[in-house]
Amino acid sequence: MTVKLTPYITLEGNTKEAITFYEQTIGAEVLSILTYGDMPDMPDTFSENLKDLVAHAKLRVGESELMFSDTPGGSAIEAGKRVTICITTNDVEHSRRIFEALRQGGQVNMPFSEEAFSPGFGDVTDKFGVTFQIYTEIPG
């Protein structure tokens, strides 16, 4: 049996923008994307704007996957629905580039620096409110 953890990120109407951002910043590859309008049982009462929102998307980043969706109608996300994702590399400069890309328009929670447990680590919340820990493995 195989078990893997896949973070699922729910946004408030800007998932397509987030996907493009992650393609550019961390090399994400879109595996699938389904809008609410693509769903066969979507009510006719849904507006064109709602039909264009992402119902489900799956991305590959390196050997990992992320899943995304927009809340129906771009409504507010319930408390406790935030996700922290750890991106691990084995190269400090690569980790630093990822950190610097993700911090654009976001907030640095812990500056990227050498730590006792990692030659390069930082914590950043990106412009979509998703928190990433950028971790460099200790060679060995």
Side-chain angles (χ1 to χ4, degrees), residues 16-72:
K16 286 183 179 178
E17 179 185 351
I19 289 170
T20 299
F21 179 74
Y22 297 134
E23 286 176 308
Q24 295 169 354
T25 57
I26 59 176
E29 172 192 355
V30 176
L31 300 177
S32 63
I33 189 166
L34 178 74
T35 65
Y36 285 104
D38 295 332
M39 297 174 64
D41 297 328
M42 186 55 54
D44 291 333
T45 57
F46 278 20
S47 69
E48 287 305 311
N49 288 345
L50 178 58
K51 289 180 182 180
D52 196 42
L53 294 177
V54 175
H56 181 76
K58 188 177 195 181
L59 282 65
R60 178 179 300 133
V61 180
E63 296 178 15
S64 303
E65 293 178 348
L66 294 173
M67 294 183 188
F68 288 85
S69 68
D70 282 311
T71 56

Side-chain angles (χ1 to χ4, degrees), residues 74-124:
S75 59
I77 298 170
E78 293 179 40
K81 296 291 186 180
R82 296 288 179 213
V83 177
T84 298
I85 301 165
C86 184
I87 299 175
T88 303
T89 79
N90 60 359
D91 179 80
V92 173
E93 287 311 310
H94 188 208
S95 292
R96 187 183 314 278
R97 285 191 300 274
I98 291 170
F99 180 85
E100 290 300 325
L102 290 171
R103 75 181 285 199
Q104 300 304 309
Q107 172 186 326
V108 173
N109 304 315
M110 181 177 179
F112 189 87
S113 64
E114 183 174 348
E115 300 293 334
F117 56 89
S118 173
F121 177 84
D123 187 314
V124 62

